[in-house]
Amino acid sequence: MTSASGFLHSLPMRQLRGVGPALAEKLAKLGINTVEDLLFLLPRQYEDRSQITPFGALIPGMTTLAEGEVKLADIALGRRRALLVRLRDHTGGLTLRFYHFRQSQKESYRPGLRVRVFGEVRLGPLGPEMVHPEVEFLSEETASPESGLTATLTPIYPLVDGLTQRRLRELMARALPLLDQTDALVDVLPARSSGGWTLADALRYVHAPPLDSDRRRLLAGEHPAQQRLAFEELVAHQLSLLQRRQRQRQWPAPACTDSAQLSEQFLHQLPFQLTHGQQTVLHEIRHDLQQPTPMLRLVQGDVGSGKTVVAALAACPVLAAGYQVAIMAPTEILAEQHRQRFQSWFEPLGIPVGWLAGKVTGKARQTQLNSIASGECRLVTGTHALFQDSVQFARLGLVIIDEQHRFGVEQRLALTRRGLASGFAPHQLIMTATPIPRTLAMSAYGDLDTSVIQGLPPGRQPIQTVVLPATRRDDLITRIAHHVASGQQVYWVCTLIEDNEQIQAQAAEVAADLLRESLPHLAIGLIHGQLKAADKAAIMAAFASGQIAVLVATTVIEVGVDVPNASLMVIENPERLGLSQLHQLRGRVGRGSAASFCVLLYQTPLSGLGRERLQILRDSQDGFVIAEKDLSLRGPGEVLGTRQTGDISFRMADLLRDQHLLEPARVLAEHLMRDNARLEQALLQRWVAEKDHYATV
């Protein structure tokens, strides 16, 4: 009897000819335990090994197959010890160079032997050479010109140590004929939704494309056979998100019906009116909080759209119902700012605000932990410290996560577990000021409902963005002196491509020294990730109070920092950052009544792509437009961050290339989940190696 996925799903690799215990163990490291697993190890690259290039026609940079007779094998003792093998054919010579070799390898290259090699050609001291090519020793039987040449393009597979491309291709050649048998695989997609390609035909094609294939489309992943597989993979991914969401909804959650008293008191003390966009999102949140199932909502809002006050109002019905609220931020600077803001809002209403971060230690920490565990602390702000096992909540009803892209799935799960300890799941409100293109949101956050705060609060100033070469630095410093003389403050942001706090700190220190030397009459502050938390908080407080005129900073100030009197920002080396990150940084100004400016100080020469990216930022202040451009220029991994894309890695699909498939994939996933559990499981088993515990995130 076949499984729901066909008999290949349950056929162990050990039953494929040539697979013993040792090879099976190596394959298992690639996640290949069955023949179906092997068939879904999909190539992303191809090579043409259908013809031999004469040595005389070799050109540096080409990757090709060549064949010749061994003339000499010797060890060269230059700067790096190397094995050099000289080959000849009727048109010229080729050198093989090996830096990692054994004596027995040298001895295997006996003069007179014929070898076939595949690799990239480069220009060496003696003419064309290949470094560490693939080598095949030819016997009398295999030495004919046509022997061993492929009739198809040659696929390149992902490898693990001790497993060669040749061995994988041999195994695939034995597995592919099994697709001809009845019930080999369950074909989930109807032919009309997959371009007429069956699953078996698509697999045969991608593992052995004919030599006359359109290689441009094939290498781009755009061939109909690849698109057939990409669509099925996207359907499986959407199914996994829908399943995760379904399991989350199975937990009971506290139904918080707002008596409106606390919310009205909160609104009464605000010195401003909510925007229409904020009111719309609040209505959606309140509806979710009244349900006995967990709210799972992502709130997107451009820089300065007023997400924090929406989060505070979301907390009101939960607090009024007697439950606890936890607010988590990715950095201590932002968490500290949330604490100050929530204290100013809630402590006048009789609700003290707790605080838990890495710098809270000793007796103060234990006191805070006891207060959270007893339920006395009803509202707590903090950083990653809220994830720790030592933190136990009495009645956690709502988790608010700021800047979700800084956290991974595991961390969302950790706070959910805190609530489950008291018998119900907390509601989740996830906020981001990094607008996420819709196609990306469907893949990274497809298990969440999404709200967008449209529009900005009254009084937000448009920011004029100026692009300047670094050669104009002196003019800019003169401009800063005039700007500060008018009563305004300045950010000077230092960026480096290396993700290294120490190097970033050094760059910021150099910039601060230069500004102190050029502007000795001004108070210049310096903040970076290597400072102690208390020092960072003190510097930010001094800047917020106006004691510091110019704050030199690394990208540690990217999110959440709010100083209305700062109306000029200088960003050094903007060509090294993504557009969305630059937009985030720019959003630190334009928060007061004064005209605001952002100067992008780039290094020359600037590439064409770099110029295009900075022009996009100059032309638009719409975060969603910028995010779409960022996605097309840098791809989803850079836009979302590795914590998120680590959860959505694909074997065949590509979120940017295959955007057009996402909507129909979602529709089909919903249909399968509703009407066909057997096919649903077949797809998930085939494509999604998802950890079970993610289901409750």
Side-chain angles (χ1 to χ4, degrees):
M1 181 177 176
T2 64
S3 72
S5 297
F7 79 84
L8 293 182
H9 173 71
S10 54
L11 185 65
M13 282 300 298
R14 288 287 304 274
Q15 293 191 28
L16 195 65
R17 183 169 58 85
V19 180
L23 180 55
E25 187 177 334
K26 289 174 184 173
L27 290 165
K29 290 179 183 176
L30 277 173
I32 299 172
N33 299 296
T34 68
V35 174
E36 181 176 297
D37 293 336
L38 177 68
L39 289 167
F40 281 87
L41 179 71
L42 301 174
R44 287 293 188 104
Q45 290 180 292
Y46 297 91
E47 295 170 344
D48 186 349
R49 302 192 181 194
S50 62
Q51 51 189 331
I52 293 169
T53 304
F55 292 166
L58 296 176
I59 300 171
M62 72 189 304
T63 300
T64 189
L65 192 68
E67 181 182 316
E69 181 181 326
V70 176
K71 292 298 182 183
L72 175 72
D74 203 3
I75 296 174
L77 299 174
R79 277 194 313 167
R80 288 185 70 184
R81 187 168 174 268
L83 169 62
L84 301 182
V85 180
R86 287 289 294 161
L87 306 180
R88 296 285 304 178
D89 72 359
H90 66 286
T91 66
L94 172 67
T95 302
L96 311 183
R97 185 181 294 269
F98 301 92
Y99 291 112
H100 309 290
F101 62 92
R102 297 181 301 276
Q103 182 65 27
S104 59
Q105 188 175 349
K106 173 184 178 296
E107 293 167 358
S108 66
Y109 288 98
R110 298 191 306 276
L113 279 178
R114 291 193 67 77
V115 295
R116 188 170 289 169
V117 295
F118 185 88
E120 182 179 350
V121 180
R122 73 178 197 182
L123 187 60
L126 302 174
E129 69 177 31
M130 291 182 179
V131 179
H132 287 281
E134 285 186 45
V135 180
E136 179 184 3
F137 290 90
L138 301 177
S139 62
E140 289 184 9
E141 295 79 26
T142 60
S144 63
E146 296 80 17
S147 174
L149 298 183
T150 60
T152 65
L153 293 177
T154 301
I156 306 297
Y157 298 102
L159 295 178
V160 293
D161 287 345
L163 193 60
T164 65
Q165 291 288 345
R166 184 180 300 174
R167 177 61 66 89
L168 271 175
R169 292 177 196 127
E170 289 170 355
L171 295 176
M172 207 67 75
R174 293 172 195 153
L176 285 171
L178 298 176
L179 289 170
D180 298 329
Q181 298 186 31
T182 306
D183 292 332
L185 295 173
V186 169
D187 201 340
V188 175
L189 305 183
R192 67 178 181 278
S193 69
S194 52
W197 285 79
T198 67
L199 180 60
D201 286 344
L203 285 170
R204 288 189 195 95
Y205 194 97
V206 299
H207 286 298
L211 289 174
D212 61 356
S213 299
D214 183 337
R215 289 183 206 176
R216 185 201 62 79
R217 294 184 75 190
L218 198 62
L219 292 174
E222 296 171 352
H223 189 278
Q226 294 168 308
Q227 289 284 286
R228 160 68 177 79
L229 296 171
F231 181 51
E232 182 172 301
E233 184 174 24
L234 288 171
V235 173
H237 178 67
Q238 290 297 316
L239 273 171
S240 72
L241 291 172
L242 291 169
Q243 276 200 357
R244 182 190 295 176
R245 178 189 177 89
Q246 186 181 62
R247 290 179 183 134
Q248 288 170 319
R249 298 290 191 194
Q250 289 173 352
W251 293 100
C256 301
T257 303
D258 191 2
S259 64
Q261 183 178 354
L262 182 59
S263 296
E264 286 173 5
Q265 288 177 319
F266 183 95
L267 285 167
H268 183 70
Q269 68 180 355
L270 292 179
F272 54 82
Q273 297 288 319
L274 296 185
T275 65
H276 177 71
Q278 288 171 316
Q279 291 173 349
T280 300
V281 171
L282 266 173
H283 177 75
E284 294 167 347
I285 291 170
R286 285 172 176 158
H287 176 268
D288 288 351
L289 291 174
Q290 291 171 9
Q291 310 309 312
T293 54
M295 172 177 72
L296 304 165
R297 186 166 290 277
L298 173 69
V299 174
Q300 296 187 67
D302 211 340
V303 177
S305 60
K307 293 176 298 300
T308 309
V309 74
V310 168
L313 279 160
C316 288
V318 181
L319 294 168
Y323 295 96
Q324 292 170 295
V325 176
I327 302 138
M328 188 176 62
T331 67
E332 289 204 352
I333 286 180
L334 185 52
E336 176 80 45
Q337 188 160 301
H338 280 327
R339 175 174 75 142
Q340 293 170 359
R341 218 177 250 174
F342 277 75
Q343 280 178 337
S344 70
W345 286 334
F346 283 99
E347 292 194 348
L349 304 179
I351 299 172
V353 176
W355 166 241
L356 199 62
K359 68 178 182 181
V360 182
T361 58
K363 185 177 285 188
R365 184 180 187 82
Q366 193 55 53
T367 300
Q368 191 68 79
L369 290 174
N370 293 342
S371 179
I372 294 170
S374 69
E376 180 186 349
C377 176
R378 295 164 59 198
L379 180 59
V380 59
T381 60
T383 59
H384 300 72
L386 290 171
F387 294 133
Q388 295 171 359
D389 291 338
S390 58
V391 185
Q392 299 298 325
F393 289 85
R395 303 183 79 208
L396 182 59
L398 172 64
V399 173
I400 299 171
I401 299 176
D402 200 4
E403 292 306 320
Q404 158 67 14
H405 68 287
R406 302 291 189 90
F407 301 104
V409 171
E410 282 282 8
Q411 291 168 309
R412 276 174 61 195
L413 173 60
L415 272 179
T416 300
R417 286 188 183 127
R418 299 290 180 268
L420 291 175
S422 41
F424 49 79
H427 298 286
Q428 292 183 39
L429 180 64
I430 292 136
M431 304 191 298
T432 180
T434 305
I436 303 165
R438 185 170 179 275
T439 52
L440 213 48
M442 283 177 66
S443 296
Y445 305 112
D447 56 331
L448 304 174
D449 294 315
T450 301
S451 297
V452 177
I453 302 177
Q454 302 285 0
L456 297 176
R460 282 288 299 192
Q461 297 297 313
I463 302 164
Q464 184 176 335
T465 301
V466 180
V467 179
L468 284 182
T471 52
R472 301 270 309 272
R473 186 184 301 269
D474 290 344
D475 296 341
L476 181 57
I477 291 174
T478 302
R479 169 71 186 271
I480 286 173
H482 291 302
H483 193 81
V484 174
S486 70
Q488 299 296 302
Q489 291 168 276
V490 179
Y491 291 105
W492 187 292
V493 183
C494 298
T495 66
L496 282 172
I497 197 165
E498 296 91 345
D499 187 15
N500 183 311
E501 281 289 359
Q502 185 174 352
I503 295 174
Q504 284 202 352
Q506 289 169 353
E509 285 166 358
V510 170
D513 289 342
L514 172 66
L515 288 170
R516 288 181 183 123
E517 183 181 324
S518 305
L519 303 168
H521 60 292
L522 297 184
I524 310 292
L526 172 64
I527 188 167
H528 53 72
Q530 289 213 308
L531 293 175
K532 292 180 180 177
D535 293 338
K536 284 189 281 192
I539 292 166
M540 283 308 304
F543 186 59
S545 66
Q547 298 171 48
I548 292 174
V550 181
L551 181 63
V552 180
T554 61
T555 51
V556 71
I557 59 120
E558 177 188 342
V559 293
V561 177
D562 189 1
V563 180
N565 197 48
S567 57
L568 171 61
M569 171 173 283
V570 178
I571 304 176
E572 284 207 70
N573 307 118
E575 67 276 12
R576 292 174 169 172
L577 295 183
L579 291 177
S580 291
Q581 191 176 10
L582 287 169
H583 181 61
Q584 286 288 307
L585 286 166
R586 179 173 62 179
R588 300 307 106 216
V589 295
R591 292 170 173 260
S593 56
S596 293
F597 303 88
C598 177
V599 178
L600 305 176
L601 194 66
Y602 66 87
Q603 294 294 327
T604 55
L606 189 62
S607 68
L609 178 59
R611 194 172 298 279
E612 179 189 356
R613 293 172 65 253
L614 297 188
Q615 187 64 38
I616 289 166
L617 204 72
R618 188 173 155 185
D619 291 344
S620 178
Q621 295 194 34
D622 185 323
F624 286 93
V625 170
I626 289 168
E628 289 283 358
K629 297 283 189 181
D630 211 12
L631 176 62
S632 65
L633 290 173
R634 294 198 304 154
E638 294 293 328
V639 174
L640 275 182
T642 53
R643 285 186 181 276
Q644 301 303 326
T645 49
D647 301 325
I648 54 169
S649 55
F650 293 109
R651 279 177 269 173
M652 179 56 73
D654 179 282
L655 287 181
L656 187 56
R657 180 193 68 214
D658 301 327
Q659 293 181 55
H660 64 290
L661 297 177
L662 274 167
E663 199 71 63
R666 181 76 172 194
V667 171
L668 183 55
E670 289 171 347
H671 167 72
L672 290 172
M673 195 163 180
R674 186 174 58 247
D675 300 330
N676 202 321
R678 186 179 80 94
L679 293 184
E680 173 191 353
Q681 284 309 113
L683 268 185
L684 289 171
Q685 289 168 358
R686 183 177 294 159
W687 289 104
V688 182
E690 191 168 28
K691 297 175 184 176
D692 290 340
H693 62 262
Y694 279 7
T696 58
V697 174

Short mmCIF file of all heavy atoms in Angstrom, two decimals, residues 264-298:
data_model
loop_
_atom_site.label_atom_id
_atom_site.label_comp_id
_atom_site.label_asym_id
_atom_site.label_seq_id
_atom_site.Cartn_x
_atom_site.Cartn_y
_atom_site.Cartn_z
N GLU A 264 -10.66 55.86 27.64
CA GLU A 264 -11.08 57.26 27.60
C GLU A 264 -10.17 58.13 28.46
O GLU A 264 -9.82 59.26 28.09
CB GLU A 264 -12.54 57.38 28.04
CG GLU A 264 -13.52 56.87 26.98
CD GLU A 264 -14.95 56.83 27.49
OE1 GLU A 264 -15.18 57.30 28.64
OE2 GLU A 264 -15.82 56.32 26.76
N GLN A 265 -9.80 57.62 29.64
CA GLN A 265 -8.87 58.36 30.49
C GLN A 265 -7.54 58.57 29.77
O GLN A 265 -6.93 59.65 29.85
CB GLN A 265 -8.63 57.60 31.81
CG GLN A 265 -9.81 57.61 32.76
CD GLN A 265 -9.52 56.77 34.00
OE1 GLN A 265 -8.94 55.70 33.91
NE2 GLN A 265 -9.93 57.28 35.15
N PHE A 266 -7.09 57.54 29.10
CA PHE A 266 -5.82 57.61 28.37
C PHE A 266 -5.91 58.68 27.27
O PHE A 266 -5.03 59.53 27.14
CB PHE A 266 -5.48 56.24 27.77
CG PHE A 266 -4.16 56.19 27.06
CD1 PHE A 266 -3.03 55.74 27.72
CD2 PHE A 266 -4.03 56.60 25.75
CE1 PHE A 266 -1.79 55.71 27.08
CE2 PHE A 266 -2.81 56.57 25.09
CZ PHE A 266 -1.68 56.12 25.77
N LEU A 267 -6.97 58.62 26.46
CA LEU A 267 -7.13 59.56 25.36
C LEU A 267 -7.26 60.99 25.85
O LEU A 267 -6.77 61.93 25.21
CB LEU A 267 -8.35 59.18 24.51
CG LEU A 267 -8.19 57.96 23.60
CD1 LEU A 267 -9.54 57.50 23.06
CD2 LEU A 267 -7.25 58.29 22.43
N HIS A 268 -7.90 61.16 27.01
CA HIS A 268 -8.15 62.50 27.54
C HIS A 268 -6.85 63.23 27.86
O HIS A 268 -6.77 64.46 27.74
CB HIS A 268 -9.03 62.40 28.80
CG HIS A 268 -9.39 63.74 29.37
ND1 HIS A 268 -10.26 64.61 28.74
CD2 HIS A 268 -8.97 64.38 30.51
CE1 HIS A 268 -10.37 65.71 29.46
NE2 HIS A 268 -9.60 65.60 30.55
N GLN A 269 -5.82 62.48 28.26
CA GLN A 269 -4.55 63.12 28.65
C GLN A 269 -3.62 63.40 27.47
O GLN A 269 -2.61 64.07 27.62
CB GLN A 269 -3.82 62.26 29.68
CG GLN A 269 -3.29 60.95 29.11
CD GLN A 269 -2.56 60.10 30.15
OE1 GLN A 269 -2.37 60.54 31.27
NE2 GLN A 269 -2.17 58.91 29.76
N LEU A 270 -3.95 62.86 26.28
CA LEU A 270 -3.09 63.08 25.12
C LEU A 270 -3.24 64.51 24.61
O LEU A 270 -4.36 65.02 24.52
CB LEU A 270 -3.44 62.11 23.98
CG LEU A 270 -3.14 60.62 24.20
CD1 LEU A 270 -3.58 59.81 22.98
CD2 LEU A 270 -1.67 60.38 24.50
N PRO A 271 -2.13 65.15 24.24
CA PRO A 271 -2.20 66.54 23.74
C PRO A 271 -2.52 66.61 22.25
O PRO A 271 -2.36 67.66 21.64
CB PRO A 271 -0.78 67.06 24.02
CG PRO A 271 0.10 65.86 23.91
CD PRO A 271 -0.73 64.69 24.40
N PHE A 272 -2.95 65.50 21.66
CA PHE A 272 -3.24 65.48 20.23
C PHE A 272 -4.39 64.52 19.95
O PHE A 272 -4.76 63.70 20.80
CB PHE A 272 -2.01 65.05 19.42
CG PHE A 272 -1.41 63.74 19.87
CD1 PHE A 272 -1.94 62.52 19.44
CD2 PHE A 272 -0.31 63.72 20.74
CE1 PHE A 272 -1.39 61.32 19.86
CE2 PHE A 272 0.24 62.52 21.16
CZ PHE A 272 -0.30 61.32 20.73
N GLN A 273 -4.98 64.65 18.77
CA GLN A 273 -6.05 63.76 18.33
C GLN A 273 -5.45 62.61 17.52
O GLN A 273 -4.47 62.79 16.80
CB GLN A 273 -7.04 64.53 17.45
CG GLN A 273 -7.76 65.66 18.15
CD GLN A 273 -8.79 65.14 19.14
OE1 GLN A 273 -9.51 64.18 18.86
NE2 GLN A 273 -8.86 65.77 20.31
N LEU A 274 -6.05 61.42 17.63
CA LEU A 274 -5.61 60.29 16.81
C LEU A 274 -5.96 60.56 15.34
O LEU A 274 -6.99 61.17 15.04
CB LEU A 274 -6.29 58.99 17.25
CG LEU A 274 -5.98 58.48 18.66
CD1 LEU A 274 -6.65 57.12 18.86
CD2 LEU A 274 -4.48 58.36 18.90
N THR A 275 -5.10 60.07 14.45
CA THR A 275 -5.40 60.18 13.02
C THR A 275 -6.44 59.14 12.64
O THR A 275 -6.69 58.17 13.38
CB THR A 275 -4.14 59.96 12.17
OG1 THR A 275 -3.70 58.60 12.35
CG2 THR A 275 -3.02 60.90 12.58
N HIS A 276 -7.03 59.32 11.46
CA HIS A 276 -8.00 58.34 10.97
C HIS A 276 -7.35 56.97 10.84
O HIS A 276 -7.94 55.94 11.16
CB HIS A 276 -8.56 58.80 9.62
CG HIS A 276 -9.51 57.82 9.01
ND1 HIS A 276 -10.78 57.57 9.51
CD2 HIS A 276 -9.35 56.98 7.94
CE1 HIS A 276 -11.37 56.65 8.78
NE2 HIS A 276 -10.53 56.27 7.82
N GLY A 277 -6.08 56.95 10.36
CA GLY A 277 -5.38 55.68 10.20
C GLY A 277 -5.18 54.96 11.53
O GLY A 277 -5.35 53.74 11.62
N GLN A 278 -4.85 55.71 12.57
CA GLN A 278 -4.67 55.10 13.90
C GLN A 278 -6.00 54.55 14.42
O GLN A 278 -6.05 53.45 14.98
CB GLN A 278 -4.12 56.14 14.88
CG GLN A 278 -2.66 56.51 14.64
CD GLN A 278 -2.22 57.69 15.49
OE1 GLN A 278 -2.94 58.68 15.61
NE2 GLN A 278 -1.04 57.59 16.08
N GLN A 279 -7.08 55.30 14.24
CA GLN A 279 -8.39 54.86 14.72
C GLN A 279 -8.84 53.59 14.01
O GLN A 279 -9.41 52.68 14.64
CB GLN A 279 -9.42 55.98 14.52
CG GLN A 279 -9.18 57.19 15.42
CD GLN A 279 -10.10 58.35 15.08
OE1 GLN A 279 -10.79 58.34 14.05
NE2 GLN A 279 -10.12 59.36 15.94
N THR A 280 -8.58 53.50 12.71
CA THR A 280 -8.97 52.31 11.94
C THR A 280 -8.25 51.07 12.46
O THR A 280 -8.87 50.02 12.68
CB THR A 280 -8.64 52.52 10.45
OG1 THR A 280 -9.35 53.65 9.96
CG2 THR A 280 -9.00 51.29 9.64
N VAL A 281 -6.95 51.18 12.68
CA VAL A 281 -6.17 50.04 13.17
C VAL A 281 -6.59 49.67 14.58
O VAL A 281 -6.69 48.48 14.92
CB VAL A 281 -4.66 50.35 13.08
CG1 VAL A 281 -3.84 49.27 13.78
CG2 VAL A 281 -4.23 50.47 11.62
N LEU A 282 -6.87 50.66 15.43
CA LEU A 282 -7.32 50.38 16.80
C LEU A 282 -8.64 49.62 16.81
O LEU A 282 -8.84 48.71 17.63
CB LEU A 282 -7.49 51.69 17.57
CG LEU A 282 -6.29 52.13 18.40
CD1 LEU A 282 -6.52 53.52 18.97
CD2 LEU A 282 -6.01 51.13 19.52
N HIS A 283 -9.53 49.96 15.89
CA HIS A 283 -10.81 49.24 15.79
C HIS A 283 -10.56 47.76 15.48
O HIS A 283 -11.19 46.87 16.08
CB HIS A 283 -11.67 49.88 14.71
CG HIS A 283 -12.97 49.18 14.48
ND1 HIS A 283 -14.05 49.27 15.35
CD2 HIS A 283 -13.36 48.33 13.48
CE1 HIS A 283 -15.04 48.52 14.90
NE2 HIS A 283 -14.65 47.94 13.77
N GLU A 284 -9.61 47.48 14.56
CA GLU A 284 -9.29 46.09 14.21
C GLU A 284 -8.68 45.35 15.41
O GLU A 284 -9.00 44.19 15.67
CB GLU A 284 -8.32 46.08 13.03
CG GLU A 284 -8.92 46.61 11.74
CD GLU A 284 -7.89 46.89 10.65
OE1 GLU A 284 -6.67 46.91 10.96
OE2 GLU A 284 -8.30 47.11 9.50
N ILE A 285 -7.81 46.03 16.15
CA ILE A 285 -7.16 45.41 17.31
C ILE A 285 -8.19 45.11 18.39
O ILE A 285 -8.20 44.02 18.98
CB ILE A 285 -6.06 46.35 17.86
CG1 ILE A 285 -4.89 46.41 16.87
CG2 ILE A 285 -5.57 45.87 19.23
CD1 ILE A 285 -3.86 47.48 17.20
N ARG A 286 -9.06 46.07 18.69
CA ARG A 286 -10.06 45.86 19.75
C ARG A 286 -10.99 44.71 19.42
O ARG A 286 -11.40 43.95 20.30
CB ARG A 286 -10.84 47.15 19.98
CG ARG A 286 -10.02 48.20 20.74
CD ARG A 286 -10.72 49.53 20.80
NE ARG A 286 -9.96 50.48 21.61
CZ ARG A 286 -10.07 51.80 21.51
NH1 ARG A 286 -10.90 52.33 20.61
NH2 ARG A 286 -9.37 52.59 22.28
N HIS A 287 -11.33 44.59 18.14
CA HIS A 287 -12.19 43.46 17.73
C HIS A 287 -11.48 42.14 18.02
O HIS A 287 -12.08 41.19 18.53
CB HIS A 287 -12.53 43.58 16.24
CG HIS A 287 -13.32 42.41 15.73
ND1 HIS A 287 -12.71 41.30 15.15
CD2 HIS A 287 -14.66 42.15 15.73
CE1 HIS A 287 -13.64 40.42 14.81
NE2 HIS A 287 -14.83 40.91 15.14
N ASP A 288 -10.18 42.06 17.70
CA ASP A 288 -9.41 40.84 17.95
C ASP A 288 -9.34 40.53 19.44
O ASP A 288 -9.45 39.37 19.86
CB ASP A 288 -7.98 41.00 17.42
CG ASP A 288 -7.90 40.98 15.90
OD1 ASP A 288 -8.92 40.68 15.27
OD2 ASP A 288 -6.81 41.26 15.36
N LEU A 289 -9.12 41.56 20.27
CA LEU A 289 -8.94 41.35 21.71
C LEU A 289 -10.21 40.84 22.38
O LEU A 289 -10.14 40.23 23.45
CB LEU A 289 -8.49 42.65 22.38
CG LEU A 289 -7.07 43.14 22.02
CD1 LEU A 289 -6.82 44.52 22.64
CD2 LEU A 289 -6.02 42.15 22.51
N GLN A 290 -11.35 41.07 21.76
CA GLN A 290 -12.61 40.63 22.35
C GLN A 290 -12.90 39.15 22.09
O GLN A 290 -13.83 38.58 22.66
CB GLN A 290 -13.76 41.48 21.81
CG GLN A 290 -13.72 42.93 22.29
CD GLN A 290 -14.73 43.81 21.59
OE1 GLN A 290 -15.60 43.33 20.85
NE2 GLN A 290 -14.62 45.12 21.80
N GLN A 291 -12.07 38.52 21.23
CA GLN A 291 -12.30 37.12 20.87
C GLN A 291 -11.63 36.20 21.90
O GLN A 291 -10.60 36.54 22.48
CB GLN A 291 -11.76 36.82 19.48
CG GLN A 291 -12.20 37.80 18.40
CD GLN A 291 -13.70 38.03 18.38
OE1 GLN A 291 -14.48 37.08 18.39
NE2 GLN A 291 -14.12 39.29 18.38
N PRO A 292 -12.14 34.99 22.06
CA PRO A 292 -11.52 34.03 23.00
C PRO A 292 -10.37 33.24 22.37
O PRO A 292 -9.92 32.23 22.90
CB PRO A 292 -12.69 33.10 23.35
CG PRO A 292 -13.55 33.11 22.13
CD PRO A 292 -13.43 34.49 21.54
N THR A 293 -9.90 33.70 21.21
CA THR A 293 -8.73 33.09 20.55
C THR A 293 -7.65 34.17 20.43
O THR A 293 -7.96 35.36 20.40
CB THR A 293 -9.09 32.56 19.14
OG1 THR A 293 -9.69 33.63 18.39
CG2 THR A 293 -10.06 31.40 19.24
N PRO A 294 -6.39 33.78 20.34
CA PRO A 294 -5.32 34.77 20.38
C PRO A 294 -5.31 35.70 19.17
O PRO A 294 -5.43 35.24 18.03
CB PRO A 294 -4.03 33.93 20.40
CG PRO A 294 -4.45 32.55 20.77
CD PRO A 294 -5.86 32.39 20.30
N MET A 295 -5.19 36.98 19.42
CA MET A 295 -4.92 37.94 18.35
C MET A 295 -3.51 37.69 17.83
O MET A 295 -2.57 37.52 18.61
CB MET A 295 -5.03 39.38 18.86
CG MET A 295 -4.57 40.42 17.85
SD MET A 295 -4.78 42.14 18.40
CE MET A 295 -3.50 42.26 19.65
N LEU A 296 -3.35 37.68 16.52
CA LEU A 296 -2.04 37.56 15.88
C LEU A 296 -2.01 38.63 14.80
O LEU A 296 -2.39 38.41 13.66
CB LEU A 296 -1.87 36.16 15.25
CG LEU A 296 -2.04 34.98 16.18
CD1 LEU A 296 -2.20 33.68 15.39
CD2 LEU A 296 -0.85 34.87 17.13
N ARG A 297 -1.57 39.82 15.17
CA ARG A 297 -1.70 40.95 14.25
C ARG A 297 -0.38 41.69 14.09
O ARG A 297 0.30 42.02 15.07
CB ARG A 297 -2.79 41.91 14.71
CG ARG A 297 -3.08 43.02 13.70
CD ARG A 297 -4.37 43.76 14.02
NE ARG A 297 -5.55 42.93 13.77
CZ ARG A 297 -6.12 42.76 12.58
NH1 ARG A 297 -5.61 43.35 11.50
NH2 ARG A 297 -7.19 42.01 12.46
N LEU A 298 -0.03 41.94 12.83
CA LEU A 298 1.14 42.75 12.47
C LEU A 298 0.66 44.15 12.10
O LEU A 298 -0.18 44.30 11.22
CB LEU A 298 1.87 42.12 11.28
CG LEU A 298 3.02 42.92 10.67
CD1 LEU A 298 4.20 42.99 11.63
CD2 LEU A 298 3.45 42.32 9.34
#
